[in-house]
Amino acid sequence: MGTDARELVHRLQDLLRGVRLIKQRRAEERPVIPLGLVGILSQLDGLADGCHARELALHARLDPSTVSRAVATLVAHGLVERRPDPTDRRAQVLALTPDGRTALTDAHDWYARLLDRALAGWTADEVTALGAGLRRFTRDLEVALENHENLEAAR
């Protein structure tokens, strides 16, 4: 591994630590959504008028058992509801409740205020470049992981 790659590993570790601290602070200041579940709630919100748990797991790229536990917690907190699937009586559709939508909006607003403070000294071009770089990096990382999985499966 080259020196540049090692430095990047350290910066990624710093970023992950920062993200963990942000999540902890949000949970302390806005505990309506349990720690670690804003992402699942956001994923569900982005899937039209609800979805099945397996669709949510695929979309979030999480194990179905992880999604099942997260959904159970969100249902217990009144942020997600299970409705009968009109096309399959055996299945249930997951959807945000009005309280879930309000809590998610509040969480997103909290994150936006934090980022506004953190990036106050940045120019608009620097913020745009950061967003573009992160978008490209996450896309390329997913491609690299998929290629690795495909190579492993072929062996």
Side-chain angles (χ1 to χ4, degrees), residues 86-102:
T87 62
D88 181 355
R89 292 183 185 187
R90 299 166 296 164
Q92 295 179 326
V93 175
L94 305 171
L96 266 64
T97 64
D99 286 347
R101 192 162 309 287
T102 299

Side-chain angles (χ1 to χ4, degrees), residues 6-116:
R6 287 187 179 157
E7 181 62 23
L8 184 55
V9 167
H10 292 297
R11 297 299 66 84
L12 286 173
Q13 289 169 338
D14 292 344
L15 177 62
L16 291 172
R17 183 175 50 251
V19 168
R20 186 177 63 252
L21 293 171
I22 291 168
K23 289 167 81 173
Q24 289 171 344
R25 178 66 64 87
R26 198 256 340 133
E28 291 167 4
E29 293 183 12
R30 296 290 198 275
V32 174
I33 302 173
L35 181 64
L37 297 183
V38 172
I40 291 283
L41 211 55
S42 294
Q43 294 286 329
L44 182 56
D45 186 43
L47 293 172
D49 293 327
C51 67
H52 296 108
R54 70 180 175 280
E55 293 172 86
L56 181 57
L58 285 171
H59 189 71
R61 295 186 178 212
L62 293 170
D63 185 83
S65 64
T66 300
V67 169
S68 178
R69 286 189 302 276
V71 167
T73 300
L74 292 168
V75 167
H77 281 81
L79 304 173
V80 169
E81 65 183 351
R82 291 182 173 109
R83 299 183 204 148
D85 183 335
T87 62
D88 181 355
R89 292 183 185 187
R90 299 166 296 164
Q92 295 179 326
V93 175
L94 305 171
L96 266 64
T97 64
D99 286 347
R101 192 162 309 287
T102 299
L104 186 58
T105 298
D106 179 66
H108 286 164
D109 289 348
W110 185 91
Y111 285 120
R113 287 190 302 275
L114 173 64
L115 290 175
D116 283 344

